[in-house]
Amino acid sequence: MLGKDNATKPIKLIERTEKYKGHVITVYEDRVDIGGREALWDYIHHNGAAAVLPVTDEGKILMVRQYRHPLGRYILEIPAGKRDGDEEFKTCAIRELEEETGYKADSFEYLLSINTTVAFLDEFIEIYLARGLKPGKVNWDTDEELGVEIWELDDLIDLIRKGEITDSKTVAALMTYAQKEGK
Amino acid sequence: MLGKDNATKPIKLIERTEKYKGHVITVYEDRVDIGGREALWDYIHHNGAAAVLPVTDEGKILMVRQYRHPLGRYILEIPAGKRDGDEEFKTCAIRELEEETGYKADSFEYLLSINTTVAFLDEFIEIYLARGLKPGKVNWDTDEELGVEIWELDDLIDLIRKGEITDSKTVAALMTYAQKEGK
C-alpha cells in the first residue's frame, strides 16, 4: 500500500489564534507540527446541524426552496438547520422539519452523517429519514426565505445528474436513500 | 405551494467587509437587504476544487487516507484538491489524481457537482469518474499526509451507512456512482 507510513504521521496543534468570531462560525489560524515540520492551517468551527429527508406516504419527497447567500440564488434542498447549543442531532432534526415545512413526522430514522468540508471546517450534519408526515403550521426564522415543494425522487435524481441540485447534504441524502431503496 | 411568494423575495448585498484573509479561504461579513429588512451574514470564499472517483478495471475504488485537521484524524476519501487559479475543473481533477495517487487514467467522465456548505461558503467541487487507471509516481504537496488504498464499493457503502465515511464529496460520489450502476 502506497504511503502507508506517511498516513500515520502524528500531527500536533502548537497554537490556535482566533481571527474572526462570526454569526454562525468562528475562524482560527492554527500553527501545527507535522512530524517535525511546521505549517499554518485555516480552521473554522461550526456547532453542527441536522437535516431531514421527508418521504410522503406516496413516496414523494418534501423539499424546501431557500435563498443561499454564497450562491446568490434560491436553491432546492432538504430541510435542515443548526443545532441550538448542545441539542441532540435528532431533536434538532425534528424541530427543523416542523419549523421549515410545518410538517411533523411519525418516525425519524437515522440515514447518514456528513462532514461538509473536511479540509478547513468541522461542520457535521446528521441526516434523518422522516416518514408518516402530517402537515401543520410553519414557523420560519426571520433570516429564512423559503418555500416548500413536493417532488418525485426520480426528478430530483435527474436534477443532481444535471448539476442543478448541488447542495452536499441534499445530494448525499437523496442518493443514499435511492441506493438503499434500489431506485 | 407553501411560501411560494416568500421564496422569490429579492435579496441585495449592501456592504461586504473582509474579516480574515486565510490560507485557502477569505472570510467576509456581509450586510444584506432582505425585502426591506437588514441582516448580517458570514460569507466565506473558496476558489473551488475537483475530485475523482477512480474505478479500477476490476470495479474496485482507489481511495486516499489523509489527515484532516478539523476532524483531528486520518480519514478515507476520494482523491481531490483545490484549483490552481482559474484552472478548468477537469484539468484539476486529472492533476490531483496523479499528484495524490500516482495514477493516470484513460478517461475522465463528469459524474456530479456539489456545493459543500451552502449556508456560508461558496466552495464548489466538480467530481469526475476515472477509468482505465495506470499506476505511476506520486507527487505529494508538502502539506499532504496521505496513503493510497484500494477498496470494494460494497465495503465503502457499508462504511457510509455506519457513519465511518462522512466526507461529503466522498459520500456524494460513491452513492451517485452506486445508484447509477444499480449497486
PDB file of all heavy atoms in Angstrom, chain B residues 127-153:
ATOM      1  N   ILE B 127     -16.888  16.618  -9.660  1.00  0.00           N
ATOM      2  CA  ILE B 127     -16.391  15.270  -9.397  1.00  0.00           C
ATOM      3  C   ILE B 127     -16.431  14.446 -10.691  1.00  0.00           C
ATOM      4  O   ILE B 127     -17.457  14.401 -11.372  1.00  0.00           O
ATOM      5  CB  ILE B 127     -17.213  14.577  -8.289  1.00  0.00           C
ATOM      6  CG1 ILE B 127     -17.265  15.476  -7.032  1.00  0.00           C
ATOM      7  CG2 ILE B 127     -16.630  13.202  -7.955  1.00  0.00           C
ATOM      8  CD1 ILE B 127     -18.212  14.997  -5.939  1.00  0.00           C
ATOM      9  N   TYR B 128     -15.304  13.814 -11.024  1.00  0.00           N
ATOM     10  CA  TYR B 128     -15.161  13.021 -12.250  1.00  0.00           C
ATOM     11  C   TYR B 128     -14.955  11.542 -11.933  1.00  0.00           C
ATOM     12  O   TYR B 128     -14.317  11.198 -10.928  1.00  0.00           O
ATOM     13  CB  TYR B 128     -13.969  13.534 -13.073  1.00  0.00           C
ATOM     14  CG  TYR B 128     -14.269  14.873 -13.698  1.00  0.00           C
ATOM     15  CD1 TYR B 128     -14.132  16.050 -12.965  1.00  0.00           C
ATOM     16  CD2 TYR B 128     -14.757  14.952 -14.992  1.00  0.00           C
ATOM     17  CE1 TYR B 128     -14.461  17.284 -13.523  1.00  0.00           C
ATOM     18  CE2 TYR B 128     -15.078  16.174 -15.563  1.00  0.00           C
ATOM     19  CZ  TYR B 128     -14.934  17.336 -14.818  1.00  0.00           C
ATOM     20  OH  TYR B 128     -15.267  18.539 -15.379  1.00  0.00           O
ATOM     21  N   LEU B 129     -15.488  10.705 -12.820  1.00  0.00           N
ATOM     22  CA  LEU B 129     -15.305   9.259 -12.743  1.00  0.00           C
ATOM     23  C   LEU B 129     -14.109   8.935 -13.644  1.00  0.00           C
ATOM     24  O   LEU B 129     -14.128   9.261 -14.837  1.00  0.00           O
ATOM     25  CB  LEU B 129     -16.583   8.611 -13.288  1.00  0.00           C
ATOM     26  CG  LEU B 129     -16.818   7.129 -13.122  1.00  0.00           C
ATOM     27  CD1 LEU B 129     -16.836   6.747 -11.648  1.00  0.00           C
ATOM     28  CD2 LEU B 129     -18.183   6.775 -13.759  1.00  0.00           C
ATOM     29  N   ALA B 130     -13.059   8.323 -13.070  1.00  0.00           N
ATOM     30  CA  ALA B 130     -11.862   7.998 -13.859  1.00  0.00           C
ATOM     31  C   ALA B 130     -11.778   6.490 -14.072  1.00  0.00           C
ATOM     32  O   ALA B 130     -11.931   5.712 -13.133  1.00  0.00           O
ATOM     33  CB  ALA B 130     -10.610   8.496 -13.143  1.00  0.00           C
ATOM     34  N   ARG B 131     -11.553   6.097 -15.327  1.00  0.00           N
ATOM     35  CA  ARG B 131     -11.410   4.667 -15.657  1.00  0.00           C
ATOM     36  C   ARG B 131     -10.153   4.465 -16.504  1.00  0.00           C
ATOM     37  O   ARG B 131      -9.624   5.403 -17.066  1.00  0.00           O
ATOM     38  CB  ARG B 131     -12.611   4.171 -16.454  1.00  0.00           C
ATOM     39  CG  ARG B 131     -13.920   4.272 -15.704  1.00  0.00           C
ATOM     40  CD  ARG B 131     -15.011   3.625 -16.571  1.00  0.00           C
ATOM     41  NE  ARG B 131     -16.333   3.987 -16.168  1.00  0.00           N
ATOM     42  CZ  ARG B 131     -17.142   3.219 -15.437  1.00  0.00           C
ATOM     43  NH1 ARG B 131     -16.728   2.049 -15.007  1.00  0.00           N
ATOM     44  NH2 ARG B 131     -18.357   3.613 -15.142  1.00  0.00           N
ATOM     45  N   GLY B 132      -9.747   3.188 -16.579  1.00  0.00           N
ATOM     46  CA  GLY B 132      -8.531   2.881 -17.329  1.00  0.00           C
ATOM     47  C   GLY B 132      -7.319   3.383 -16.559  1.00  0.00           C
ATOM     48  O   GLY B 132      -6.482   4.126 -17.079  1.00  0.00           O
ATOM     49  N   LEU B 133      -7.232   2.996 -15.282  1.00  0.00           N
ATOM     50  CA  LEU B 133      -6.172   3.506 -14.391  1.00  0.00           C
ATOM     51  C   LEU B 133      -4.820   2.858 -14.679  1.00  0.00           C
ATOM     52  O   LEU B 133      -4.746   1.654 -14.910  1.00  0.00           O
ATOM     53  CB  LEU B 133      -6.553   3.245 -12.931  1.00  0.00           C
ATOM     54  CG  LEU B 133      -7.879   3.846 -12.460  1.00  0.00           C
ATOM     55  CD1 LEU B 133      -8.145   3.440 -11.005  1.00  0.00           C
ATOM     56  CD2 LEU B 133      -7.866   5.357 -12.597  1.00  0.00           C
ATOM     57  N   LYS B 134      -3.765   3.693 -14.656  1.00  0.00           N
ATOM     58  CA  LYS B 134      -2.391   3.207 -14.844  1.00  0.00           C
ATOM     59  C   LYS B 134      -1.526   3.739 -13.711  1.00  0.00           C
ATOM     60  O   LYS B 134      -1.408   4.960 -13.559  1.00  0.00           O
ATOM     61  CB  LYS B 134      -1.799   3.753 -16.154  1.00  0.00           C
ATOM     62  CG  LYS B 134      -2.674   3.544 -17.389  1.00  0.00           C
ATOM     63  CD  LYS B 134      -2.376   2.230 -18.071  1.00  0.00           C
ATOM     64  CE  LYS B 134      -3.273   2.018 -19.294  1.00  0.00           C
ATOM     65  NZ  LYS B 134      -4.693   1.723 -18.964  1.00  0.00           N
ATOM     66  N   PRO B 135      -0.919   2.840 -12.916  1.00  0.00           N
ATOM     67  CA  PRO B 135      -0.112   3.312 -11.781  1.00  0.00           C
ATOM     68  C   PRO B 135       1.130   4.072 -12.238  1.00  0.00           C
ATOM     69  O   PRO B 135       1.624   3.867 -13.345  1.00  0.00           O
ATOM     70  CB  PRO B 135       0.269   2.027 -11.045  1.00  0.00           C
ATOM     71  CG  PRO B 135       0.090   0.926 -12.026  1.00  0.00           C
ATOM     72  CD  PRO B 135      -0.918   1.378 -13.038  1.00  0.00           C
ATOM     73  N   GLY B 136       1.626   4.980 -11.385  1.00  0.00           N
ATOM     74  CA  GLY B 136       2.829   5.769 -11.700  1.00  0.00           C
ATOM     75  C   GLY B 136       3.469   6.248 -10.413  1.00  0.00           C
ATOM     76  O   GLY B 136       3.418   5.572  -9.393  1.00  0.00           O
ATOM     77  N   LYS B 137       4.001   7.461 -10.467  1.00  0.00           N
ATOM     78  CA  LYS B 137       4.780   8.003  -9.349  1.00  0.00           C
ATOM     79  C   LYS B 137       3.976   9.105  -8.647  1.00  0.00           C
ATOM     80  O   LYS B 137       3.402   9.963  -9.309  1.00  0.00           O
ATOM     81  CB  LYS B 137       6.062   8.605  -9.961  1.00  0.00           C
ATOM     82  CG  LYS B 137       7.226   8.765  -9.007  1.00  0.00           C
ATOM     83  CD  LYS B 137       8.462   9.202  -9.791  1.00  0.00           C
ATOM     84  CE  LYS B 137       9.162  10.432  -9.278  1.00  0.00           C
ATOM     85  NZ  LYS B 137       8.582  11.377  -8.410  1.00  0.00           N
ATOM     86  N   VAL B 138       3.935   9.081  -7.310  1.00  0.00           N
ATOM     87  CA  VAL B 138       3.190  10.113  -6.589  1.00  0.00           C
ATOM     88  C   VAL B 138       4.013  11.399  -6.461  1.00  0.00           C
ATOM     89  O   VAL B 138       5.231  11.380  -6.582  1.00  0.00           O
ATOM     90  CB  VAL B 138       2.762   9.654  -5.169  1.00  0.00           C
ATOM     91  CG1 VAL B 138       1.791   8.492  -5.270  1.00  0.00           C
ATOM     92  CG2 VAL B 138       3.966   9.301  -4.317  1.00  0.00           C
ATOM     93  N   ASN B 139       3.299  12.502  -6.217  1.00  0.00           N
ATOM     94  CA  ASN B 139       3.933  13.819  -6.147  1.00  0.00           C
ATOM     95  C   ASN B 139       3.180  14.659  -5.121  1.00  0.00           C
ATOM     96  O   ASN B 139       2.426  15.550  -5.451  1.00  0.00           O
ATOM     97  CB  ASN B 139       3.855  14.466  -7.550  1.00  0.00           C
ATOM     98  CG  ASN B 139       4.414  15.863  -7.570  1.00  0.00           C
ATOM     99  OD1 ASN B 139       5.212  16.230  -6.703  1.00  0.00           O
ATOM    100  ND2 ASN B 139       3.983  16.665  -8.529  1.00  0.00           N
ATOM    101  N   TRP B 140       3.352  14.284  -3.832  1.00  0.00           N
ATOM    102  CA  TRP B 140       2.567  14.917  -2.781  1.00  0.00           C
ATOM    103  C   TRP B 140       2.989  16.348  -2.483  1.00  0.00           C
ATOM    104  O   TRP B 140       4.171  16.664  -2.449  1.00  0.00           O
ATOM    105  CB  TRP B 140       2.640  14.089  -1.488  1.00  0.00           C
ATOM    106  CG  TRP B 140       1.889  12.802  -1.584  1.00  0.00           C
ATOM    107  CD1 TRP B 140       0.674  12.627  -2.166  1.00  0.00           C
ATOM    108  CD2 TRP B 140       2.302  11.519  -1.120  1.00  0.00           C
ATOM    109  NE1 TRP B 140       0.295  11.306  -2.071  1.00  0.00           N
ATOM    110  CE2 TRP B 140       1.267  10.610  -1.436  1.00  0.00           C
ATOM    111  CE3 TRP B 140       3.431  11.037  -0.450  1.00  0.00           C
ATOM    112  CZ2 TRP B 140       1.342   9.259  -1.111  1.00  0.00           C
ATOM    113  CZ3 TRP B 140       3.483   9.706  -0.120  1.00  0.00           C
ATOM    114  CH2 TRP B 140       2.464   8.830  -0.455  1.00  0.00           C
ATOM    115  N   ASP B 141       1.964  17.224  -2.246  1.00  0.00           N
ATOM    116  CA  ASP B 141       2.221  18.564  -1.710  1.00  0.00           C
ATOM    117  C   ASP B 141       2.875  18.378  -0.341  1.00  0.00           C
ATOM    118  O   ASP B 141       2.617  17.385   0.340  1.00  0.00           O
ATOM    119  CB  ASP B 141       0.894  19.321  -1.475  1.00  0.00           C
ATOM    120  CG  ASP B 141       0.265  19.790  -2.779  1.00  0.00           C
ATOM    121  OD1 ASP B 141       0.897  19.653  -3.832  1.00  0.00           O
ATOM    122  OD2 ASP B 141      -0.867  20.290  -2.715  1.00  0.00           O
ATOM    123  N   THR B 142       3.666  19.370   0.086  1.00  0.00           N
ATOM    124  CA  THR B 142       4.341  19.231   1.380  1.00  0.00           C
ATOM    125  C   THR B 142       3.359  19.143   2.549  1.00  0.00           C
ATOM    126  O   THR B 142       3.670  18.567   3.573  1.00  0.00           O
ATOM    127  CB  THR B 142       5.293  20.420   1.644  1.00  0.00           C
ATOM    128  OG1 THR B 142       4.545  21.623   1.414  1.00  0.00           O
ATOM    129  CG2 THR B 142       6.505  20.369   0.746  1.00  0.00           C
ATOM    130  N   ASP B 143       2.150  19.733   2.392  1.00  0.00           N
ATOM    131  CA  ASP B 143       1.181  19.693   3.485  1.00  0.00           C
ATOM    132  C   ASP B 143       0.265  18.472   3.438  1.00  0.00           C
ATOM    133  O   ASP B 143      -0.639  18.347   4.243  1.00  0.00           O
ATOM    134  CB  ASP B 143       0.298  20.956   3.479  1.00  0.00           C
ATOM    135  CG  ASP B 143       0.974  22.093   4.227  1.00  0.00           C
ATOM    136  OD1 ASP B 143       2.143  21.925   4.632  1.00  0.00           O
ATOM    137  OD2 ASP B 143       0.333  23.135   4.397  1.00  0.00           O
ATOM    138  N   GLU B 144       0.484  17.590   2.478  1.00  0.00           N
ATOM    139  CA  GLU B 144      -0.376  16.419   2.373  1.00  0.00           C
ATOM    140  C   GLU B 144       0.264  15.216   3.041  1.00  0.00           C
ATOM    141  O   GLU B 144       1.386  14.846   2.723  1.00  0.00           O
ATOM    142  CB  GLU B 144      -0.711  16.125   0.907  1.00  0.00           C
ATOM    143  CG  GLU B 144      -1.803  17.051   0.408  1.00  0.00           C
ATOM    144  CD  GLU B 144      -2.164  16.859  -1.039  1.00  0.00           C
ATOM    145  OE1 GLU B 144      -1.266  16.532  -1.845  1.00  0.00           O
ATOM    146  OE2 GLU B 144      -3.326  17.039  -1.367  1.00  0.00           O
ATOM    147  N   GLU B 145      -0.508  14.646   3.976  1.00  0.00           N
ATOM    148  CA  GLU B 145      -0.045  13.453   4.672  1.00  0.00           C
ATOM    149  C   GLU B 145      -1.039  12.377   4.301  1.00  0.00           C
ATOM    150  O   GLU B 145      -2.125  12.306   4.842  1.00  0.00           O
ATOM    151  CB  GLU B 145      -0.060  13.693   6.189  1.00  0.00           C
ATOM    152  CG  GLU B 145       0.727  14.916   6.633  1.00  0.00           C
ATOM    153  CD  GLU B 145       2.186  14.903   6.158  1.00  0.00           C
ATOM    154  OE1 GLU B 145       2.786  13.805   6.125  1.00  0.00           O
ATOM    155  OE2 GLU B 145       2.711  15.960   5.811  1.00  0.00           O
ATOM    156  N   LEU B 146      -0.693  11.537   3.320  1.00  0.00           N
ATOM    157  CA  LEU B 146      -1.713  10.588   2.864  1.00  0.00           C
ATOM    158  C   LEU B 146      -1.152   9.260   2.384  1.00  0.00           C
ATOM    159  O   LEU B 146       0.045   9.104   2.143  1.00  0.00           O
ATOM    160  CB  LEU B 146      -2.619  11.232   1.808  1.00  0.00           C
ATOM    161  CG  LEU B 146      -2.020  11.896   0.573  1.00  0.00           C
ATOM    162  CD1 LEU B 146      -1.571  10.853  -0.432  1.00  0.00           C
ATOM    163  CD2 LEU B 146      -3.066  12.784  -0.081  1.00  0.00           C
ATOM    164  N   GLY B 147      -2.062   8.292   2.286  1.00  0.00           N
ATOM    165  CA  GLY B 147      -1.744   6.962   1.782  1.00  0.00           C
ATOM    166  C   GLY B 147      -2.809   6.541   0.788  1.00  0.00           C
ATOM    167  O   GLY B 147      -3.915   7.082   0.806  1.00  0.00           O
ATOM    168  N   VAL B 148      -2.474   5.598  -0.092  1.00  0.00           N
ATOM    169  CA  VAL B 148      -3.406   5.173  -1.141  1.00  0.00           C
ATOM    170  C   VAL B 148      -3.863   3.740  -0.859  1.00  0.00           C
ATOM    171  O   VAL B 148      -3.053   2.886  -0.510  1.00  0.00           O
ATOM    172  CB  VAL B 148      -2.712   5.263  -2.527  1.00  0.00           C
ATOM    173  CG1 VAL B 148      -3.639   4.813  -3.633  1.00  0.00           C
ATOM    174  CG2 VAL B 148      -2.223   6.686  -2.777  1.00  0.00           C
ATOM    175  N   GLU B 149      -5.155   3.477  -0.987  1.00  0.00           N
ATOM    176  CA  GLU B 149      -5.724   2.158  -0.681  1.00  0.00           C
ATOM    177  C   GLU B 149      -6.744   1.774  -1.754  1.00  0.00           C
ATOM    178  O   GLU B 149      -7.403   2.634  -2.322  1.00  0.00           O
ATOM    179  CB  GLU B 149      -6.421   2.181   0.691  1.00  0.00           C
ATOM    180  CG  GLU B 149      -5.505   2.648   1.825  1.00  0.00           C
ATOM    181  CD  GLU B 149      -6.200   2.684   3.185  1.00  0.00           C
ATOM    182  OE1 GLU B 149      -7.303   2.111   3.314  1.00  0.00           O
ATOM    183  OE2 GLU B 149      -5.623   3.277   4.108  1.00  0.00           O
ATOM    184  N   ILE B 150      -6.912   0.474  -1.985  1.00  0.00           N
ATOM    185  CA  ILE B 150      -7.908   0.001  -2.963  1.00  0.00           C
ATOM    186  C   ILE B 150      -9.017  -0.746  -2.216  1.00  0.00           C
ATOM    187  O   ILE B 150      -8.742  -1.636  -1.419  1.00  0.00           O
ATOM    188  CB  ILE B 150      -7.233  -0.882  -4.038  1.00  0.00           C
ATOM    189  CG1 ILE B 150      -6.309   0.009  -4.899  1.00  0.00           C
ATOM    190  CG2 ILE B 150      -8.278  -1.564  -4.926  1.00  0.00           C
ATOM    191  CD1 ILE B 150      -5.457  -0.732  -5.898  1.00  0.00           C
ATOM    192  N   TRP B 151     -10.266  -0.359  -2.477  1.00  0.00           N
ATOM    193  CA  TRP B 151     -11.422  -0.866  -1.726  1.00  0.00           C
ATOM    194  C   TRP B 151     -12.499  -1.426  -2.656  1.00  0.00           C
ATOM    195  O   TRP B 151     -12.643  -0.996  -3.795  1.00  0.00           O
ATOM    196  CB  TRP B 151     -12.049   0.278  -0.916  1.00  0.00           C
ATOM    197  CG  TRP B 151     -11.297   0.636   0.325  1.00  0.00           C
ATOM    198  CD1 TRP B 151     -10.146   1.364   0.426  1.00  0.00           C
ATOM    199  CD2 TRP B 151     -11.665   0.270   1.656  1.00  0.00           C
ATOM    200  NE1 TRP B 151      -9.782   1.480   1.750  1.00  0.00           N
ATOM    201  CE2 TRP B 151     -10.689   0.826   2.523  1.00  0.00           C
ATOM    202  CE3 TRP B 151     -12.722  -0.456   2.208  1.00  0.00           C
ATOM    203  CZ2 TRP B 151     -10.748   0.664   3.913  1.00  0.00           C
ATOM    204  CZ3 TRP B 151     -12.779  -0.612   3.589  1.00  0.00           C
ATOM    205  CH2 TRP B 151     -11.799  -0.069   4.435  1.00  0.00           C
ATOM    206  N   GLU B 152     -13.317  -2.336  -2.096  1.00  0.00           N
ATOM    207  CA  GLU B 152     -14.540  -2.798  -2.758  1.00  0.00           C
ATOM    208  C   GLU B 152     -15.623  -1.747  -2.540  1.00  0.00           C
ATOM    209  O   GLU B 152     -15.782  -1.242  -1.418  1.00  0.00           O
ATOM    210  CB  GLU B 152     -15.043  -4.116  -2.137  1.00  0.00           C
ATOM    211  CG  GLU B 152     -14.117  -5.300  -2.285  1.00  0.00           C
ATOM    212  CD  GLU B 152     -14.136  -5.900  -3.685  1.00  0.00           C
ATOM    213  OE1 GLU B 152     -15.018  -5.529  -4.495  1.00  0.00           O
ATOM    214  OE2 GLU B 152     -13.256  -6.728  -3.970  1.00  0.00           O
ATOM    215  N   LEU B 153     -16.423  -1.449  -3.577  1.00  0.00           N
ATOM    216  CA  LEU B 153     -17.512  -0.471  -3.455  1.00  0.00           C
ATOM    217  C   LEU B 153     -18.475  -0.838  -2.319  1.00  0.00           C
ATOM    218  O   LEU B 153     -18.866   0.026  -1.523  1.00  0.00           O
ATOM    219  CB  LEU B 153     -18.273  -0.361  -4.785  1.00  0.00           C
ATOM    220  CG  LEU B 153     -19.467   0.604  -4.800  1.00  0.00           C
ATOM    221  CD1 LEU B 153     -19.049   2.039  -4.505  1.00  0.00           C
ATOM    222  CD2 LEU B 153     -20.202   0.533  -6.142  1.00  0.00           C
TER     223      LEU B 153
END
